[in-house]
């Protein structure tokens, strides 16, 4: 968005305040848009059959949490989802 701003050397504080406010508005707009895009790509999944397809759809997948004491389960999910994703894209056996 373009806007005109005159500069009066006798009133530098207004110029600085205007620029500061405009930058805050730009940042707020960028943040709101990013949050909207992120929120549109959050998918809740409770069944394994939906997990990899949700990831393949470029989504942030929310799943039930087993807790930190189940580290081996997290590793299994990482490996299994990687295998299925590679298989779905005909890339079996690809190295990282």
């Amino acid at each position: 968005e373009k806007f005109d701003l005159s500069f009066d050397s006798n009133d530098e504080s207004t110029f600085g305040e205007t620029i500061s406010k405009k930058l805050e508005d730009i940042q707020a707009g960028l943040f709101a848009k990013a949050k909207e895009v992120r929120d549109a790509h959050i998918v809740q999944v409770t069944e394994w059959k939906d997990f990899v397809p949700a990831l393949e759809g470029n989504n942030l997948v929310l799943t039930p949490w087993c807790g930190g004491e189940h580290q081996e389960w997290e590793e299994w999910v990482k490996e299994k989802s990687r295998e299925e994703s590679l298989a779905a894209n005909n890339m079996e056996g690809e190295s990282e």
Side-chain angles (χ1 to χ4, degrees):
E1 170 187 340
K2 292 183 178 183
F3 71 101
D4 292 325
L5 178 63
S6 61
F7 179 72
D8 181 1
S9 61
N10 295 324
D11 192 12
E12 291 180 19
S13 64
T14 301
F15 182 79
E17 289 170 7
T18 301
I19 295 298
S20 180
K21 174 70 171 111
K22 188 63 176 172
L23 290 173
E24 288 175 12
D25 291 346
I26 290 169
Q27 193 278 334
L30 290 170
F31 179 81
K33 184 173 180 166
K35 186 175 183 302
E36 181 181 319
V37 169
R38 185 217 50 201
D39 290 349
H41 286 279
I42 294 176
V43 177
Q44 232 175 348
V45 171
T46 57
E47 295 185 33
W48 180 256
K49 68 179 179 59
D50 301 323
F51 186 80
V52 173
L55 286 177
E56 293 289 325
N58 296 319
N59 293 303
L60 175 63
V61 181
L62 299 178
T63 62
W65 173 246
C66 299
E69 67 275 7
H70 299 286
Q71 185 69 29
E72 70 280 353
W73 179 246
E74 182 178 347
E75 293 304 318
W76 180 88
V77 168
K78 287 179 188 177
E79 184 60 32
K80 185 72 171 166
S81 62
R82 182 179 184 282
E83 289 172 6
E84 287 188 22
S85 180
L86 289 173
N89 291 296
N90 296 319
M91 299 169 58
E92 295 97 338
E94 295 280 327
S95 63
E96 294 182 35

